[in-house]
Amino acid sequence: MMLLRMLRMRRAGGYSGSVWLCCWLLGWQAAALQLPPCEETDYHFEYTECDSSGSRWRVAVPNPAVECSGLPDPVRGKECTFSCASGEYLEMKNQVCSKCAQGTYSLGSGIKFDEWDELPAGFSNVATFMDTALGSSEGKADSCNNSSWTPRGNYIESNRDDCTVSLIYAVHLKKSGSVFFEYQYIDNNIFFEFFIQNDQCKEMESTADKWVKLTDNGEWGSHSVTLKSGSNILYWRTTGILMGSKVVKPVLVKNITIEGVAYTSECFACKPGTFSDKPGASGCQVCPRDTYSEKGAKECTKCKEEMYYAEEGSSACIERPPCTSKDFFQIHTPCDKEGKTQIMYKWIEPKICREDLPDALTLPPSGERQDCPPCNPGFYNNASSSCTPCPAGTFSDGTQECKACPAGTEPALGFEYKWWNILPGNMKTSCFNVGNSKCDGMNGWEVAGDHIQSGAGGSDNDYLILSLHIPGFKPPTSVTGATGSELGRITFIFETICSADCVLYFMADVNRKNTNVVESWEKSKERQSYTHIISKNASFTFTWAFQRINEGQDSRQFINDMAKIYSITVTNAVDGVASSCRACALGSEQSGSSCVPCPPGHYIEKESSQCKECPANTFLSIHQVYGREACIPCGPGSKSTKDHSACFSDCLVSYVKDNQSLNYNFSNLSQVGSLMSGPSFTSRGTKFFHFFNISLCGNEGKKMAICADNITDVTLKDMVAESEDFSNFVGAFVCQSTIIPSDSKGFRTALALQSNSLADRFLGATVETVLENISIKADMFPPSPSKIPDVHFFYKSSTVTTSCENGRATVVTMRCNPHKPDQGELSVPSSCPAGTCDGCTFYFLWESAEACPLCTEQDYHEIEGACKKGFQETIYVWNEPKHCIKGVPLPEKRTSTCETVDFWLKVGAGVGAFTAVLLIALTCYFWKKNQKLEYKYSKLVMTTNSKECELPAADSCAIMEGEDNEEEIVYSNKQSLLGKLKSLATKEKEDNFESVQLKSSRSQNI
């Protein structure tokens, strides 16, 4: 016991080497006087810690609960960096390397963890909820107590929630080494890191790139990192991001191997289900099917095959159950010369059931003959039992012989598989399981006449895989020069019939570099069609993977769950066949009648079969190039690119209403605008933002908005450089990413994920609120305070998803706001903080002074100043409030001459004007007075004529004023107006009598 205490103190650093050795000798001598002598089984050897010179001692240590005396003396041990080769161990008694015995193995200087029935010694789990948002820590600290890495036999599985869980292992290395492990990581909704810390909790330089790369579905990747000598703490850390109701798929890790330990003093026993039949093994072999082994086995033991069976790597035999309908399946044989196929029934291999038990089913009789389905379009059987592709330049619908395409046409190449009697030559099927090899070599899918369906597999959690390889895509000859966004498309019709949580994945592999899940469907789905657009010429492998349940079970419960694919159609495939011919452009007479490619933006004229350029502001359809109707007019406010491949906005928009023209120029907003909306929170409280990039107009129609995932800490520059093969790189007019801030999950930087395109085609710019069935409601945004109409930019995305069968659409509303200069401000509807209310149509409001119309002459008015010293100024000012920019500039101040009048001249003119007015007034007065006098005179004459005058001696008689005279009055003298004025002036001095000459009837007689 004293020795043990000293050893512990030595390990703790309490003694130096020589002092420790002396104390040990003294203690041993004292203890030896009282204890029985030690035997070899009572103790084992260990090395002391290395001293500064790199040396150490080998000492004998009593086994637990053993007390004895006479332990061997300490001897100088091997140098600290010594280690044995793989398959050997260090025999401590003689300090030499010896080969491992049968049933054991050794890595030499390494340790391996390949058994995960339980968490191996030395490993630990730490779970946290790393969201530092306000209020997030309360009530959430305990929510991750049940989250951990879970052993699953051959591998260990990460958590499935949005907790952060670390699998930790600490190792002390005497020399530099490495760590190696295999993993599966297929879901980018979970972040997987592997990093190393030293005993000071500082990350090692070797783990600068700690993000682990994604793997393809069903494939194991490997990861290795160099380890430095000393203490190394290994972390496998996962964090799930639950952005919706979909549960993340966990990370799987197996075969963790650590190299660099100083020595191995013993060999490891082979785990159950494996064996080692030769000495000096560096690993154990898996027991074959129908055999088993226990731990440390030298060989595998066979099962009684009549009653028991065992899968590969089994630790025990399992009793065979009675056969049921889930243990066999039917297939169709290839067509014979008579055009018949037979329905055959086969046991699922390997057969694990028994037919001789009560209630067991037997295999149904095979051989029923049925008519073969016709060949697929583009194939013909030519009186043989198999279908062969039509030769180049010919076509067939599958029921008739291959015929040459008529002159002026070319084959429409592609594939259309709708009859499934045999698997097409460019398709393969397989079965894969993460945790076992039960279904290796099985067919994952089986042909069934008018459809192909998922097979039985070996377990309910198998991946049943069907793949189609297309070496490349090529548009028709006549449109070879086109640069549209679609080179081809793949369309398939399918359905899933499930009673559990089955999933059908559709994946695409580009140039055999990375496989990405394009779309997935969970649980039962009615018969439906799905189309995927191919936008670049590359080698593609399309894969359908069906999984009944995600977790393995000992018994088969869901074998009747299946996926069915009725047809697969691929257009413009390089090595395709033709079911029809399409018109093509013919060359000149010198070149004969062969098809020639049309230049970009040219259609085929029906009358002459010659290439003609599309008219201005039209783009060429990607689906047909025959006839003038192939040129589709661009939308309002847009123009076509030079090659007529698409329409774009040149940032200039005009609008006329009530004889008033408004012209907009959005050129200063052609740079990419960005918007971060949020924050939002998941059901578990994880904070995230929606990030949008918008490329409004200009740039000759190039899609300048870029969104990319940075989960691997790759810089954006590197992403752009490798964008051809970088799956998480998106270039569009409008794109979106989900941003998780660095403070939300404890990461070093903010994370971007789920990048996708919201707009890759420009439809038009108009003040109208509806364009091509895309509309914006009047109450989507607050009304504009000005009378300037908003301009709406409409976009469309060709990407079709399960929730958006017609693809996504985007509307960017440009609003004039003089108070927001330069780039202004982007916003989303208050009722839809994510920018969309239905997940398919996105709305944005862009307010800026640059969104105001160009100024015109109607936007300012003039103000004239007073005439000073012969000069008069005219200035021009903008109408308030001003709702225009640029355009017509404000005219400069204008000065003009004006005439000034002398003061006295003004006075004279005033007096003259007054006199003239006075004279006119007097004239009017006297004229009226004269009229009255004339009336009185007339009255006098009339009175005189009515009463004859009897005065004989006189020629006239006087008439008193007031008397009547009926005689006619004749003026003796005709007075002028001036004379009348003079007589009127002397009227008061006379007796009011006036001498007039009377002309009567009597005087006429005289």
Side-chain angles (χ1 to χ4, degrees):
M1 299 303 292
M2 181 178 179
L3 175 64
L4 289 175
R5 287 195 297 271
M6 289 183 177
L7 185 61
R8 294 191 186 101
M9 294 181 69
R10 165 61 186 156
R11 289 178 175 174
Y15 298 105
S16 64
S18 59
V19 174
W20 183 89
L21 185 59
C22 293
C23 293
W24 183 87
L25 290 172
L26 292 173
W28 175 81
Q29 291 175 355
L33 299 176
Q34 304 173 1
L35 300 177
C38 294
E39 299 180 2
E40 287 190 6
T41 58
D42 295 333
Y43 61 88
H44 64 278
F45 293 103
E46 289 186 7
Y47 281 123
T48 64
E49 294 291 336
C50 296
D51 57 22
S52 58
S53 63
S55 61
R56 57 187 173 182
W57 293 82
R58 188 208 70 177
V59 297
V61 180
N63 293 329
V66 174
E67 295 183 1
C68 62
S69 62
L71 289 172
D73 294 338
V75 298
R76 187 170 293 277
K78 293 283 188 180
E79 62 271 17
C80 291
T81 57
F82 173 82
S83 62
C84 295
S86 60
E88 297 179 342
Y89 72 100
L90 182 62
E91 196 273 305
M92 293 292 288
K93 181 178 180 180
N94 300 315
Q95 297 193 74
V96 295
C97 293
S98 302
K99 289 187 176 181
C100 291
Q102 293 177 329
T104 63
Y105 73 97
S106 167
L107 299 177
S109 62
I111 51 178
K112 184 176 183 179
F113 300 97
D114 56 0
E115 293 184 59
W116 298 99
D117 296 314
E118 59 182 6
L119 201 63
F123 282 88
S124 61
N125 269 304
V126 176
T128 56
F129 192 93
M130 298 184 66
D131 194 326
T132 58
L134 293 177
S136 62
S137 59
E138 298 181 4
K140 294 177 183 176
D142 298 333
S143 62
C144 293
N145 288 344
N146 296 326
S147 296
S148 67
W149 286 76
T150 306
R152 295 294 186 188
N154 292 327
Y155 58 88
I156 188 169
E157 176 183 285
S158 74
N159 58 310
R160 297 169 179 263
D161 51 27
D162 52 357
C163 294
T164 298
V165 183
S166 297
L167 179 67
I168 305 173
Y169 183 77
V171 62
H172 188 83
L173 302 184
K174 299 299 182 182
K175 60 180 181 179
S176 298
S178 64
V179 57
F180 168 88
F181 61 90
E182 296 179 69
Y183 70 96
Q184 265 204 14
Y185 174 31
I186 61 176
D187 193 342
N188 60 5
N189 288 315
I190 191 170
F191 298 129
F192 182 29
E193 311 167 80
F194 175 74
F195 59 95
I196 304 166
Q197 291 183 351
N198 58 20
D199 52 4
Q200 304 298 320
C201 293
K202 293 183 179 180
E203 288 191 21
M204 310 290 276
E205 295 179 358
S206 59
T207 57
D209 184 11
K210 64 179 183 178
W211 301 105
V212 182
K213 295 181 180 179
L214 289 166
T215 60
D216 295 339
N217 242 335
E219 293 187 7
W220 288 94
S222 62
H223 191 81
S224 62
V225 177
T226 302
L227 300 178
K228 293 183 178 181
S229 59
S231 296
N232 292 268
I233 306 174
L234 314 180
Y235 289 85
W236 291 264
R237 187 165 75 177
T238 56
T239 302
I241 306 298
L242 300 182
M243 305 307 297
S245 59
K246 192 173 182 179
V247 178
V248 297
K249 294 176 177 56
V251 175
L252 311 180
V253 174
K254 69 176 183 178
N255 294 337
I256 298 177
T257 305
I258 301 174
E259 294 280 353
V261 295
Y263 65 93
T264 300
S265 60
E266 60 181 351
C267 297
F268 300 99
C270 291
K271 69 176 184 178
T274 64
F275 72 99
S276 172
D277 57 353
K278 295 180 180 179
S282 59
C284 300
Q285 304 176 52
V286 177
C287 287
R289 196 181 303 277
D290 292 329
T291 65
Y292 73 98
S293 71
E294 297 178 351
K295 189 171 184 176
K298 300 177 183 179
E299 61 181 6
C300 299
T301 305
K302 288 187 176 182
C303 300
K304 294 182 179 180
E305 295 189 14
E306 298 80 9
M307 301 176 61
Y308 298 91
Y309 74 97
E311 303 292 346
E312 285 186 358
S314 296
S315 59
C317 295
I318 304 173
E319 186 176 358
R320 294 181 181 271
C323 293
T324 66
S325 60
K326 298 179 180 180
D327 294 304
F328 61 84
F329 62 95
Q330 71 174 35
I331 62 171
H332 292 70
T333 61
C335 292
D336 55 23
K337 294 183 179 180
E338 298 177 1
K340 299 290 184 180
T341 181
Q342 296 183 19
I343 299 178
M344 309 295 292
Y345 293 92
K346 289 187 175 182
W347 292 111
I348 295 175
E349 295 294 340
K351 182 184 176 185
I352 62 173
C353 64
R354 293 176 58 183
E355 301 177 64
D356 56 351
L357 294 177
D359 300 327
L361 295 182
T362 59
L363 195 67
S366 300
E368 179 184 351
R369 292 166 60 84
Q370 294 182 350
D371 291 336
C372 281
C375 292
N376 282 307
F379 292 82
Y380 185 62
N381 59 16
N382 291 323
S384 65
S385 59
S386 61
C387 296
T388 56
C390 288
T394 63
F395 71 100
S396 171
D397 62 357
T399 61
Q400 300 178 355
E401 295 183 359
C402 301
K403 298 179 181 178
C405 287
T409 64
E410 61 178 336
L413 298 179
F415 293 102
E416 184 181 358
Y417 297 132
K418 61 181 181 179
W419 300 110
W420 303 92
N421 187 57
I422 60 172
L423 195 66
N426 59 349
M427 298 187 73
K428 295 181 179 180
T429 180
S430 60
C431 179
F432 176 80
N433 191 291
V434 173
N436 58 62
S437 57
K438 291 181 181 179
C439 72
D440 291 357
M442 291 184 179
N443 285 336
W445 293 67
E446 300 288 348
V447 294
D450 64 344
H451 67 274
I452 185 171
Q453 64 187 30
S454 56
S459 306
D460 284 343
N461 66 331
D462 291 340
Y463 285 100
L464 306 174
I465 297 172
L466 177 69
S467 61
L468 166 65
H469 178 66
I470 304 295
F473 289 85
K474 179 184 177 182
T477 302
S478 300
V479 293
T480 301
T483 58
S485 60
E486 180 179 333
L487 285 181
R489 57 175 56 194
I490 178 171
T491 303
F492 58 93
I493 299 174
F494 71 98
E495 73 171 329
T496 55
I497 305 169
C498 301
S499 59
D501 297 330
C502 69
V503 183
L504 175 64
Y505 300 94
F506 173 61
M507 299 171 285
D509 178 297
V510 183
N511 291 330
R512 301 186 183 275
K513 289 188 176 182
N514 52 353
T515 300
N516 299 290
V517 176
V518 178
E519 191 59 84
S520 63
W521 297 268
E522 298 179 354
K523 300 185 178 181
S524 294
K525 297 294 180 184
E526 295 181 352
R527 183 167 175 167
Q528 57 186 275
S529 174
Y530 178 80
T531 298
H532 177 60
I533 305 297
I534 310 301
S535 57
K536 68 176 181 179
N537 185 17
S539 174
F540 279 82
T541 298
F542 301 104
T543 301
W544 294 263
F546 180 70
Q547 188 180 38
R548 293 182 172 91
I549 58 174
N550 192 29
E551 298 182 3
Q553 296 180 347
D554 295 334
S555 60
R556 301 298 303 272
Q557 298 182 15
F558 307 105
I559 193 171
N560 291 327
D561 292 2
M562 66 177 62
K564 295 182 179 181
I565 297 178
Y566 293 92
S567 67
I568 301 175
T569 304
V570 183
T571 64
N572 298 339
V574 167
D575 60 347
V577 294
S579 61
S580 61
C581 300
R582 75 180 96 197
C584 67
L586 299 178
S588 59
E589 295 181 0
Q590 291 80 7
S591 63
S593 60
S594 60
C595 295
V596 297
C598 285
H602 287 61
Y603 69 96
I604 304 173
E605 191 179 50
K606 293 182 178 180
E607 292 76 12
S608 62
S609 294
Q610 300 294 312
C611 298
K612 296 292 183 181
E613 184 176 5
C614 282
N617 296 328
T618 63
F619 68 98
L620 190 63
S621 170
I622 57 178
H623 301 295
Q624 72 157 39
V625 293
Y626 191 63
R628 171 63 179 78
E629 57 272 17
C631 300
I632 303 174
C634 292
S638 63
K639 59 190 299 185
S640 63
T641 55
K642 293 180 180 179
D643 59 3
H644 297 277
S645 62
C647 297
F648 73 101
S649 170
D650 59 359
C651 300
L652 303 178
V653 179
S654 298
Y655 169 65
V656 179
K657 183 179 181 181
D658 299 334
N659 296 325
Q660 181 182 3
S661 177
L662 295 179
N663 297 307
Y664 298 84
N665 187 346
F666 301 104
S667 298
N668 287 346
L669 300 177
S670 61
Q671 300 298 321
V672 176
S674 299
L675 168 65
M676 183 90 77
S677 69
S680 301
F681 297 88
T682 65
S683 58
R684 293 288 294 271
T686 300
K687 180 170 63 176
F688 66 93
F689 296 85
H690 291 291
F691 181 74
F692 302 94
N693 277 329
I694 299 176
S695 176
L696 184 70
C697 60
N699 304 301
E700 292 297 319
K702 295 180 180 178
K703 305 178 181 75
M704 304 300 292
I706 295 175
C707 296
D709 294 358
N710 71 339
I711 186 173
T712 54
D713 279 355
V714 179
T715 63
L716 189 61
K717 181 179 179 181
D718 294 335
M719 289 181 182
V720 174
E722 301 176 1
S723 60
E724 287 298 316
D725 299 312
F726 191 76
S727 60
N728 294 323
F729 173 88
V730 175
F733 289 116
V734 183
C735 63
Q736 175 194 25
S737 293
T738 301
I739 304 296
I740 300 177
S742 57
D743 63 348
S744 180
K745 287 291 179 182
F747 297 125
R748 292 177 296 176
T749 59
L751 298 180
L753 68 157
Q754 298 180 348
S755 299
N756 52 60
S757 169
L758 303 182
D760 55 22
R761 184 164 66 93
F762 177 66
L763 302 181
T766 175
V767 298
E768 303 296 332
T769 56
V770 180
L771 183 64
E772 292 193 19
N773 297 324
I774 303 172
S775 62
I776 178 171
K777 298 180 180 178
D779 58 351
M780 186 63 68
F781 296 104
S784 175
S786 67
K787 296 182 179 180
I788 302 299
D790 296 336
V791 179
H792 308 291
F793 282 71
F794 291 84
Y795 303 89
K796 187 78 174 173
S797 173
S798 58
T799 303
V800 178
T801 63
T802 304
S803 56
C804 304
E805 296 180 353
N806 298 321
R808 296 185 179 96
T810 301
V811 182
V812 182
T813 299
M814 307 302 297
R815 177 169 294 177
C816 172
N817 191 332
H819 303 294
K820 296 182 179 179
D822 301 328
Q823 289 294 306
E825 180 182 353
L826 272 164
S827 61
V828 294
S830 58
S831 57
C832 309
T836 176
C837 297
D838 58 2
C840 297
T841 305
F842 291 77
Y843 300 96
F844 302 94
L845 176 64
W846 197 335
E847 297 180 276
S848 171
E850 297 293 336
C852 295
L854 300 178
C855 295
T856 64
E857 290 82 356
Q858 299 176 349
D859 292 306
Y860 63 82
H861 61 276
E862 66 178 26
I863 299 177
E864 293 183 351
C867 185
K868 297 180 180 180
K869 297 181 180 180
F871 295 95
Q872 185 180 36
E873 291 184 349
T874 302
I875 61 174
Y876 299 87
V877 295
W878 295 110
N879 299 334
E880 292 295 339
K882 181 186 176 184
H883 288 107
C884 67
I885 59 168
K886 302 176 183 178
V888 176
L890 199 64
E892 298 290 336
K893 179 176 64 176
R894 181 167 55 89
T895 302
S896 59
T897 59
C898 58
E899 296 182 359
T900 59
V901 183
D902 185 77
F903 174 76
W904 295 108
L905 184 60
K906 293 179 180 179
V907 173
V911 172
F914 175 78
T915 304
V917 172
L918 181 61
L919 287 175
I920 293 172
L922 290 173
T923 300
C924 293
Y925 173 78
F926 289 126
W927 177 78
K928 192 163 184 68
K929 200 75 174 175
N930 185 56
Q931 288 292 95
K932 291 181 179 180
L933 287 174
E934 286 182 353
Y935 173 76
K936 292 178 180 179
Y937 294 155
S938 300
K939 200 75 169 163
L940 179 61
V941 172
M942 292 174 63
T943 305
T944 304
N945 289 336
S946 60
K947 297 179 181 181
E948 291 185 0
C949 184
E950 300 295 336
L951 296 177
D955 293 331
S956 63
C957 60
I959 303 173
M960 294 299 292
E961 189 172 320
E963 294 182 351
D964 293 333
N965 186 6
E966 296 178 359
E967 294 291 332
E968 183 180 351
I969 299 176
V970 179
Y971 294 106
S972 59
N973 292 309
K974 186 70 175 181
Q975 288 181 314
S976 64
L977 178 60
L978 186 58
K980 292 181 179 181
L981 290 173
K982 288 181 179 180
S983 62
L984 184 62
T986 57
K987 179 178 179 181
E988 298 297 331
K989 298 179 181 181
E990 297 179 3
D991 296 330
N992 293 328
F993 291 99
E994 198 172 31
S995 177
V996 295
Q997 185 177 358
L998 303 177
K999 185 178 180 179
S1000 64
S1001 58
R1002 178 178 296 179
S1003 60
Q1004 291 177 355
N1005 296 330
I1006 297 175

